[in-house]
Amino acid sequence: MKHECGILLLSSKVDNKKNYFIKNLKNIEHRGREAFGICYYNEKLNCEKYPFKVSNYNYKEDCNFGKNIMGHVRYSTTKNKKLDNLNIQPIKGNHKNLGEFYLVHNGNIPNIRYDDGKSDTYYLVDFIQNNNNTNYLDILHDMLKIIKSVYCLGLLDNKGNIYACRDSHGIRPLYLGRNKDNICIGSETTCFPENYILEREILNGEIIKLKNGNILGSKSFSRRKYFCSFEYIYFFRKESQIGTRYLKDIRYRFGVELALKEENIIKDALVVGSPNSGIVIGKGFAETLNLPYHQLIWKDSTCGRSFILPDQKSRKELLQKFLYYDEDKIKDNIIYLVDDSIVRGTTMKKMLKRLSDLGAKEVHVRVGSPPITNPCYFGIDIPNTKLLIASGRNVEEIRIELGCSTLIYIDMNIIKRIIGDYNMCDGCFSGNYPNITDW
């Protein structure tokens, strides 16, 4: 079982309201819409789990959550799509010397299977509760040395201490923010509460101990960093901050570079960004070529991302219900349709068919990433090659399968140059994994 999820840890000098925390957790809901859970210390450990997305939470009742809180949004990529409380996080453990704790986890432990359907997070819980060390900094340090897999996690113990930990290769994201009195750690900066500023990235292999808005200790065990390139391309919200840069600026540059690949510019074409992650790339493409940009396709704001839905049937149903088209402006026009990536091709095929039915003369597809040809072993729902439209096909064969007029992708070396990181994991694009799949 594998997950691409999101975590939020908050440690404050003053008590926090329940609704306040949940509203911030909602800002990483795009990373998991099947369920969410919260644990907090308020004189004792407490946990609440909800088998639905954060957006559906009823905010009518409010209460104090205490000073130290963790939250998790869940997107399961298991073959068994039945959602049950067993795998909604936080997951409870009980260390033989230290007592009860809760764990939240974003990542993937390959080759871990439980006969009763438990997720790989239980493997981490089992490791922690059976470790012989008598403090969690040392336990998590052992975990980093022994378990080389992909995980960002938070642990809340029965004294109210929070531990944040990022795997030794730093494949999944984790960031630390502050305001005057409080500390927040999350999968993206978009979940930071108002008036928090990004202080830094949690380092690969770093463990931090927090309580009541203070850092109480830390340890580390790092290996070579291999951050996930697909985070930049797709998963991060465009408002997310990485260092001094925002994702929207990075993706805009993807669009600029895509435009520079055009050899025969169609001067009377319109540019349309695929909603929502292709919009910024589309604007960079359009402005570089001095072409008009029009949002002729838009998505109902309540529907979320089709990529993280649990099965192909759900994805198709969402596309039929929640994509809308400006029919009058599409008819008799030539369109550049720009998207961030094409995984299975479900969304792109539906859009191309609809644009054709509405009278578009031609549709030229431009993609802000290379063809996805290989599975992901590190926590993103690209489980095998059979469902990938680019697997076993060259670009012309993909174009024919999609049914578009022309098709151009951006090159991975351009993406790495824009981001400034030449050691990113690009295994789902290249098939070259960073020598860390021997788990």
Side-chain angles (χ1 to χ4, degrees):
M1 299 182 72
K2 303 186 283 288
H3 300 267
E4 174 60 61
C5 304
I7 64 174
L8 171 60
L9 320 176
L10 183 61
S11 183
S12 309
K13 289 182 169 57
V14 297
D15 286 345
N16 293 284
K17 292 290 188 180
K18 177 179 182 177
N19 289 351
Y20 169 80
F21 183 81
I22 292 176
K23 286 176 181 177
N24 288 291
L25 187 63
K26 182 179 181 295
N27 290 326
I28 50 170
E29 183 182 61
H30 59 287
R31 303 183 74 90
R33 295 172 62 87
E34 290 186 27
F36 75 99
I38 307 153
C39 62
Y40 56 98
Y41 182 83
N42 194 357
E43 298 185 354
K44 65 176 183 177
L45 282 175
N46 302 273
C47 184
E48 300 179 11
K49 300 184 181 186
Y50 301 91
F52 48 79
K53 62 185 179 181
V54 186
S55 294
N56 290 344
Y57 178 75
N58 188 330
Y59 290 97
K60 288 183 178 180
E61 295 182 4
D62 205 359
C63 62
N64 279 333
F65 256 7
K67 299 178 177 68
N68 300 286
I69 315 167
M70 302 196 310
H72 182 271
V73 292
R74 179 175 184 265
Y75 148 51
S76 168
T77 61
T78 175
K79 292 180 180 178
N80 179 3
K81 299 301 179 181
K82 291 185 178 179
L83 183 62
D84 55 76
N85 289 330
L86 181 70
N87 290 318
I88 300 175
Q89 299 183 36
I91 303 296
K92 187 177 183 180
N94 196 335
H95 188 272
K96 52 190 175 182
N97 297 315
L98 300 173
E100 293 182 347
F101 65 89
Y102 281 100
L103 192 76
V104 292
H105 163 227
N106 169 30
N108 178 38
I109 316 297
N111 303 318
I112 297 300
R113 297 290 183 273
Y114 286 94
D115 292 338
D116 58 2
K118 290 180 180 178
S119 74
D120 52 0
T121 307
Y122 282 88
Y123 180 75
L124 300 178
V125 170
D126 288 343
F127 180 93
I128 293 167
Q129 62 188 7
N130 292 312
N131 189 277
N132 290 323
N133 281 297
T134 56
N135 70 80
Y136 286 111
L137 282 175
D138 289 339
I139 292 171
L140 295 174
H141 190 258
D142 276 358
M143 176 182 287
L144 290 170
K145 291 190 294 184
I146 295 169
I147 304 177
K148 293 172 61 178
S149 304
V150 181
Y151 46 87
C152 288
L153 58 84
L155 185 152
L156 178 64
D157 71 14
N158 59 6
K159 293 181 172 60
N161 298 298
I162 291 178
Y163 300 81
C165 177
R166 189 179 184 191
D167 73 85
S168 59
H169 290 291
I171 295 176
R172 299 264 76 80
L174 199 62
Y175 298 95
L176 185 149
R178 288 181 185 264
N179 65 10
K180 183 180 179 182
D181 297 316
N182 309 309
I183 297 173
C184 178
I185 294 176
S187 298
E188 298 188 34
T189 60
T190 54
C191 67
F192 289 178
E194 189 177 359
N195 299 323
Y196 279 66
I197 60 171
L198 172 63
E199 181 172 290
R200 64 179 179 88
E201 180 181 16
I202 301 296
L203 302 177
N204 50 307
E206 183 176 13
I207 312 160
I208 299 176
K209 179 181 179 180
L210 311 167
K211 187 175 182 181
N212 298 347
N214 297 302
I215 294 179
L216 303 182
S218 64
K219 296 194 80 166
S220 65
F221 181 84
S222 63
R223 298 180 175 93
R224 186 175 180 179
K225 187 178 179 181
Y226 294 107
F227 190 69
C228 171
S229 58
F230 206 59
E231 290 279 356
Y232 287 100
I233 292 164
Y234 180 82
F235 262 105
F236 277 133
R237 280 180 56 172
K238 68 179 187 297
E239 300 88 358
S240 285
Q241 185 181 357
I242 300 176
T244 59
R245 305 170 76 188
Y246 287 89
L247 257 294
K248 60 184 180 181
D249 299 323
I250 293 171
R251 289 177 182 157
Y252 185 91
R253 284 291 304 164
F254 292 171
V256 171
E257 293 291 343
L258 262 177
L260 295 176
K261 292 172 69 73
E262 291 295 317
E263 296 179 354
N264 300 301
I265 302 168
I266 304 170
K267 295 294 185 181
D268 57 347
L270 305 177
V271 180
V272 180
S274 172
N276 288 318
S277 50
I279 291 174
V280 174
I281 302 172
K283 290 180 177 178
F285 181 87
E287 291 172 15
T288 302
L289 297 179
N290 293 314
L291 294 175
Y293 182 92
H294 294 280
Q295 199 57 53
L296 304 183
I297 308 172
W298 63 97
K299 185 188 292 186
D300 187 311
S301 61
T302 64
C303 71
R305 292 170 157 183
S306 63
F307 177 78
I308 66 170
L309 289 175
D311 52 50
Q312 191 76 343
K313 180 182 178 182
S314 299
R315 286 184 280 271
K316 289 182 177 180
E317 289 176 351
L318 179 139
L319 294 172
Q320 290 171 353
K321 292 179 180 178
F322 295 111
L323 281 179
Y324 304 96
Y325 298 80
D326 190 331
E327 300 183 13
D328 293 337
K329 292 183 180 179
I330 289 170
K331 187 176 180 180
D332 297 327
N333 272 309
I334 298 172
I335 293 173
Y336 281 112
L337 180 58
V338 182
D339 207 349
D340 64 291
S341 59
I342 303 176
V343 183
R344 303 169 183 88
T346 305
T347 302
M348 184 57 70
K349 284 182 179 180
K350 289 285 184 183
M351 287 192 293
L352 289 168
K353 175 66 165 58
R354 186 65 176 144
L355 289 170
S356 176
D357 291 344
L358 293 174
K361 288 182 180 179
E362 301 171 8
V363 183
H364 301 264
V365 175
R366 301 295 179 261
V367 188
S369 63
I372 298 172
T373 55
N374 298 276
C376 174
Y377 300 106
F378 309 136
I380 289 179
D381 187 13
I382 309 176
N384 58 64
T385 59
K386 293 180 180 179
L387 298 176
L388 303 177
I389 192 169
S391 177
R393 295 186 174 102
N394 60 34
V395 174
E396 175 59 15
E397 290 168 337
I398 301 169
R399 183 197 69 79
I400 294 170
E401 178 68 19
L402 289 172
C404 55
S405 302
T406 62
L407 173 64
I408 295 177
Y409 290 87
I410 199 171
D411 301 322
M412 179 51 70
N413 63 332
I414 294 175
I415 289 176
K416 291 183 176 182
R417 171 168 54 80
I418 292 170
I419 294 170
D421 183 354
Y422 289 88
N423 291 318
M424 291 189 299
C425 176
D426 62 0
C428 58
F429 302 107
S430 67
N432 298 318
Y433 301 96
N435 297 321
I436 55 175
T437 56
D438 56 338
W439 302 334

